[in-house]
Amino acid sequence: MEVINEVSPTDPKQIEEMMKPGPDGPVFLVNLLKFKDKAEYEDGRETDLSGKEAYQIYGAGVANLLPEYGGMIYFMAHVTFLAVGQVEELWDEVAIAVYPNRNALLRMSQSKEWNDLAVHRTAGLAGQLNIESVMPKMLQALPWNATFLKEIKT
């Protein structure tokens, strides 16, 4: 398995697939994040921010923006150890955002508000993997998941 960290999609097939309706049910977007040591803004501005600090500006803004599209931050943590498997270098953080559907993710990522925040995302990220996933129906029915999933506006 080859793993390529990217900041934005470059494969036309991935972009085309993202434009399709996508799976039923809430979409959990797993983000494996790798930060630059020092933030680098595309407009050339000087900064003393680390890549992580720049990304945190983006992350805080997106956490406030997600509810407007029916979503929320589900989970976020620092990567500390690789228990099984092998990779050349670990990611720095894992974050999971939940959207009612793929369309909500697309609408948010095409909004002016998201694009204004995204300059910090690009400045801070060395690369990432975004993995779309859907909770199986049988797990959605469990009481603790059913309660949580009521929060996601479909």
Side-chain angles (χ1 to χ4, degrees), residues 14-143:
Q14 283 179 314
I15 296 167
E16 183 181 321
E17 188 66 27
M18 278 299 295
M19 298 301 160
K20 295 179 181 176
D24 289 335
V27 170
F28 291 73
L29 192 68
V30 179
N31 299 264
L32 302 177
L33 307 167
K34 186 69 180 167
F35 303 119
K36 295 174 185 171
D37 291 332
K38 182 172 174 23
E40 298 172 8
Y41 284 90
E42 290 180 339
D43 63 8
R45 73 181 82 167
E46 292 293 319
T47 184
D48 292 328
L49 294 174
S50 68
K52 181 178 180 176
E53 290 168 331
Y55 190 86
Q56 287 174 333
I57 294 169
Y58 164 80
V62 167
N64 290 320
L65 185 59
L66 273 164
E68 293 180 32
Y69 295 88
M72 63 174 36
I73 299 294
Y74 181 69
F75 177 82
M76 195 223 97
H78 304 291
V79 174
T80 58
F81 175 71
L82 181 65
V84 176
Q86 298 177 23
V87 294
E88 193 172 301
E89 190 175 0
L90 282 178
W91 290 271
D92 297 315
E93 287 186 357
V94 175
I96 302 174
V98 186
Y99 301 85
N101 50 52
R102 187 186 289 169
N103 184 272
L105 165 62
L106 282 174
R107 286 187 299 112
M108 186 188 77
S109 64
Q110 294 169 343
S111 72
K112 180 187 181 325
E113 295 85 1
W114 186 87
N115 280 286
D116 289 346
L117 292 166
V119 298
H120 304 292
R121 175 183 170 276
T122 305
L125 280 179
Q128 68 179 348
L129 297 180
N130 289 154
I131 304 166
E132 179 185 89
S133 57
V134 177
M135 185 182 292
K137 296 285 186 205
M138 63 183 264
L139 293 179
Q140 290 181 28
L142 295 174

